[in-house]
Amino acid sequence: MKEKLKIIAFDADDTLWVNEPYFRENELQFAELMADYMPRDEILQIMYQTEMKNLKLYGYGVKGFMLSMIEAANLITEGKADARIINKIIALGQDQLQKPVELLDGVEEVLQHLQGKYKLVVATKGDLLDQQRKVKSSGLQEYFHHVEVMSDKKAADYSHLLKKLSCTPSSFLMLGNSLKSDVLPVLELDGYASHIPYHITWAHELLDEEPKHPNYIKLSNIREILGHLA
């Protein structure tokens, strides 16, 4: 593998920096805000169902999450959500959009080792403005040849990215915390893909089984990729 590789791409959220815990924290605050109307588990279920319904409209990211919270609040209150509730939801979303970027352990060390040996790329889903902010605030921007904010991460999306980078699948390695979004679509193209587990994973990104493919690399942490490339 290492002789073929030209480009190594990294997912951003929960691969380079903390992300999902902020969503979980806001979900719980939303459930607390709605606690007078129904039990927490039911509130969270309605919230998740609303998010899934809206993905095709809003895509991924905090802004779509905030709009889904507002819609879920109207469902839960049967259209009686007052301005106080809506304003609180907006405040939760705006606060999340201003969270400081907290790098995950080993990230910059790995980028330092790989810089100059490969072209390094960010390939992430989410809101364009928010992801650009996080890349800039992270202090990692200098390591990356290219930053791609994708509306989705299916095989066709990766194929489009590879064409943009003038790269064949056999010369491409993707690293990320989601088997569904960062690994399976790349393996479908016969590229290389590595799963770096994170302790919290959004239900939408969960898979029951790991892939069986010769180009799949399972890691315990991001530093272990250096051993595969040594």
Side-chain angles (χ1 to χ4, degrees):
M1 174 187 72
K2 62 183 179 181
E3 292 82 8
K4 301 178 182 179
L5 287 183
K6 294 180 180 177
I7 292 178
I8 300 178
F10 296 81
D11 175 50
D13 295 333
D14 301 317
T15 299
L16 299 178
W17 49 67
V18 174
N19 178 64
E20 186 61 23
Y22 300 139
F23 282 95
R24 294 292 177 89
E25 179 183 328
N26 274 353
E27 280 180 341
L28 293 177
Q29 290 194 57
F30 174 71
E32 185 176 337
L33 188 63
M34 297 285 100
D36 290 341
Y37 296 92
M38 60 179 62
R40 186 177 76 170
D41 289 350
E42 292 181 32
I43 293 168
L44 294 178
Q45 183 63 24
I46 290 173
M47 178 61 202
Y48 181 72
Q49 290 171 348
T50 306
E51 281 186 276
M52 293 304 98
K53 176 180 71 70
N54 287 334
L55 275 180
K56 63 182 181 293
L57 294 174
Y58 305 145
Y60 297 86
V62 180
K63 294 172 187 174
F65 177 67
M66 184 176 13
L67 287 170
S68 291
M69 276 197 288
I70 292 171
E71 183 178 343
N74 277 316
L75 288 170
I76 291 164
T77 64
E78 299 181 343
K80 297 176 183 176
D82 59 23
R84 179 189 65 85
I85 290 174
I86 303 303
N87 289 339
K88 178 61 176 176
I89 291 170
I90 292 171
L92 288 174
Q94 290 180 341
D95 178 68
Q96 188 171 339
L97 286 166
Q98 299 175 78
K99 290 285 188 186
V101 177
E102 181 183 346
L103 296 183
L104 294 175
D105 184 47
V107 164
E108 190 157 17
E109 175 188 339
V110 167
L111 294 176
Q112 287 171 350
H113 275 85
L114 298 178
Q115 189 181 37
K117 300 180 179 71
Y118 306 92
K119 284 185 177 179
L120 305 182
V121 168
V122 173
T124 188
K125 289 189 296 192
D127 177 78
L128 177 62
L129 184 62
D130 187 35
Q131 296 293 40
Q132 288 176 333
R133 174 191 70 86
K134 288 191 280 190
V135 170
K136 184 176 180 180
S137 299
S138 71
L140 302 178
Q141 194 165 10
E142 64 182 271
Y143 295 105
F144 295 111
H145 168 76
H146 179 74
V147 175
E148 185 81 3
V149 181
M150 305 161 77
S151 59
D152 208 343
K153 282 184 167 180
K154 301 247 177 14
D157 302 294
Y158 282 104
S159 182
H160 177 74
L161 174 61
L162 289 171
K163 287 178 183 177
K164 183 182 291 188
L165 297 172
S166 300
C167 181
T168 62
S170 62
S171 300
F172 181 79
L173 169 63
M174 179 71 194
L175 295 94
N177 69 297
S178 170
L179 288 168
K180 182 178 178 180
S181 294
D182 301 319
V183 174
L184 288 184
V186 176
L187 296 179
E188 187 178 333
L189 298 173
D190 285 328
Y192 291 89
S194 181
H195 181 228
I196 305 169
Y198 189 62
H199 69 283
I200 300 176
T201 303
W202 186 26
H204 179 62
E205 299 289 346
L206 291 174
L207 288 179
D208 293 332
E209 295 183 6
E210 290 195 358
K212 295 178 175 62
H213 193 288
N215 293 356
Y216 171 57
I217 305 164
K218 182 180 179 180
L219 304 176
S220 297
N221 60 71
I222 197 169
R223 288 189 180 93
E224 289 184 0
I225 194 60
L226 297 178
H228 291 272
L229 299 173

